[in-house]
Amino acid sequence: MTGIVTEPVGESGRYRVGVDVGGTKIEAVLVDGGTAIRASHRVPARRGGDNVVEDVVGLVRTVAGESVDRLAGVGIGTPGQVDSTAGTVSHVVNLDIDTLALGPEVSARLGGVPVRVENDVNAAALGAAQLVPGAKGTGAVVMVNFGTGLAAGIIVDGVLQHGFSGAAGEIGHIPLDPNRFDCPCGQRGCLETVCSGASVQRLWPVDGPAMPDLIAQAHAGRADAVRVLGIVSHAMGDALQIVAQTVDPRVIIIGGGMAKTGEPLIEVMSEELYRRERECPFLQGLHVADRLRLAPMDQPIGALGAALVI
């Protein structure tokens, strides 16, 4: 569904808008009192803080129609360093944003509608948990986001976990990889340097998505592809094992751009986990591979999750 909501937003303010800010597009959805999406719209992302604020406000007005002032609130999922309490975001390199009071500025332009800003991976985790079978309910669920970077969104009993400093789930900057590649964060050997979407593209440079081609070439027996896939899958196994042994979620959702690879990606991850299980009875009992689920890549999980942070 695209465009303006086809029924008025009730006086009770049960509708919410979720906005997913990405490096190439910004998408908004109107969500009713449950989790049903009643309208959606997207625009290409423009660089610069003023443009981002303008686009977010425009999208909210598009999907909410004439009833913006009766919204329960607006949630925004964005990359970068997010201070949800203040509603600010910093260091969004892809959009040329150093520091931006995104929440306060959007709220002011919408006449004071409550706005909450959340990390994009956390927002996507909330959205995916609504749509992936077995992910709703009590207990822990984690989405591991293999996107431009690597991070995890952790949900316990339906509540996002941020930690003391907001760094909960930042598994991409755990320096475990033996290749010891330099990481922009200042460390060497971060998992993100070998199993994020950007790093796989660097390790296996091809036109188009790298992971599907890497898997296909490795399965065809190409020696350099087998070597690179071994590096990538080992780091993926580390990431999944960290999540399984620290949070012990009943479901591990695989998201991010690399999830578009589909079942072949799950197969690669599972093979790595099974290999580890053969050497470790402790891991055999965890059945980590059985917990893996693909995020629904045809759904606006980031925008849906952003609406749910309100």
Side-chain angles (χ1 to χ4, degrees), residues 130-213:
Q130 295 296 316
L131 302 175
V132 170
K136 294 175 67 173
T138 59
V141 172
V142 173
M143 188 182 84
V144 183
N145 194 80
F146 293 94
T148 302
L150 168 65
I154 303 169
I155 304 169
V156 179
D157 295 334
V159 179
L160 278 172
Q161 304 300 299
H162 297 89
F164 173 72
S165 64
E170 292 290 352
I171 61 174
H173 294 296
I174 299 177
L176 291 178
D177 186 71
N179 295 283
R180 308 296 293 168
F181 295 128
D182 289 336
C183 182
C185 80
Q187 301 183 98
R188 298 180 65 193
C190 290
L191 291 178
E192 184 173 296
T193 65
V194 283
C195 68
S196 66
S199 64
V200 174
Q201 200 75 37
R202 174 179 55 81
L203 292 168
W204 191 255
V206 294
D207 293 332
M211 196 65 191
D213 185 74

Side-chain angles (χ1 to χ4, degrees), residues 263-274:
E263 286 300 328
L265 179 65
I266 298 295
E267 292 171 5
V268 166
M269 293 176 172
S270 298
E271 288 171 3
E272 172 64 22
L273 292 168
Y274 292 146

Side-chain angles (χ1 to χ4, degrees), residues 21 26 43-59 95-97 100 102 105-106 109:
V21 176
I26 303 178
V43 296
R46 297 186 295 160
R47 302 173 77 91
D50 289 342
N51 286 331
V52 170
V53 171
E54 182 178 308
D55 290 340
V56 169
V57 170
L59 281 166
L95 294 175
D96 290 337
I97 293 174
L100 176 65
L102 181 58
E105 290 199 25
V106 170
R109 297 195 193 188

